[in-house]
Amino acid sequence: MSERNHSQPVIASDAPAARVDWMNLVALEKYGMPEGWQWFRAEVKNHSKPSSFILLTGAVCSVLFERGKRKGQQDWSKRDKATEAVIAIQHNDIDQLKLAWQQRTGKCHVCQGTGQYVYGWDHKDGDLKRPCDPCGATGNNPEALS
Ligand SMILES: [Zn+2]
């Protein structure tokens, strides 16, 4: 694993578990997008048809807003245009990656190893969580349980 610039967005297999971005991981691992590449637009095509797929547009963007309301967030207008790419990923790619990720990490993909499933969000209380069913709230790969 290469050294990461602190200001660089980190979305990869070693990201904190509860923050795994499956679509991004597919883009990096299956479609060979470069380190640091992130999607910034996702469109579902052929919605509800068997041929449905997801069109991801992304780039490497390491420039952050230095002030204002969006301070610390990525400034997509300053993305590295040379890395901009549009790729079509399959829903199936995501399912396969989740299974592969479970095998690799030994964690449950539903709760991403936390044992708590986030089923919603409340303005007052934040994340609404309940114990994760598939892994019995252990956070471990359910496939390895039986
Ligand atoms: Zn779980």
Side-chain angles (χ1 to χ4, degrees):
M1 186 56 58
S2 59
E3 282 278 309
R4 287 175 194 281
N5 180 328
H6 191 66
S7 65
Q8 213 173 12
V10 178
I11 298 184
S13 52
D14 60 345
R19 294 169 52 201
V20 175
D21 181 329
W22 302 111
M23 294 197 297
N24 219 78
L25 207 48
V26 166
L28 264 58
E29 295 193 358
K30 180 153 186 187
Y31 295 92
M33 294 297 115
E35 185 91 5
W37 191 91
Q38 278 184 291
W39 64 270
F40 58 86
R41 182 189 300 145
E43 301 166 78
V44 177
K45 298 289 184 181
N46 302 345
H47 179 63
S48 78
K49 293 184 187 143
S51 59
S52 178
F53 63 95
I54 304 165
L55 209 54
L56 292 183
T57 308
V60 175
C61 176
S62 47
V63 179
L64 308 178
F65 286 103
E66 287 177 3
R67 58 179 72 85
K69 217 171 156 185
R70 295 204 277 170
K71 187 176 175 180
Q73 293 179 18
Q74 286 162 285
D75 183 351
W76 285 102
S77 70
K78 298 203 172 76
R79 63 189 178 274
D80 179 356
K81 296 268 174 26
T83 63
E84 187 158 331
V86 181
I87 57 170
I89 71 169
Q90 308 299 319
H91 296 287
N92 199 5
D93 290 337
I94 298 172
D95 296 338
Q96 284 177 3
L97 180 86
K98 285 177 176 174
L99 293 178
W101 184 89
Q102 285 194 152
Q103 297 256 307
R104 188 165 71 204
T105 62
K107 293 174 184 170
C108 165
H109 83 262
V110 177
C111 60
Q112 301 182 2
T114 63
Q116 297 289 308
Y117 175 70
V118 178
Y119 65 91
W121 190 81
D122 182 281
H123 243 293
K124 190 160 55 69
D125 302 327
D127 283 343
L128 303 174
K129 300 175 184 173
R130 61 175 163 74
C132 180
D133 284 338
C135 65
T138 63
N140 298 325
N141 179 0
E143 309 233 303
L145 288 180
S146 51

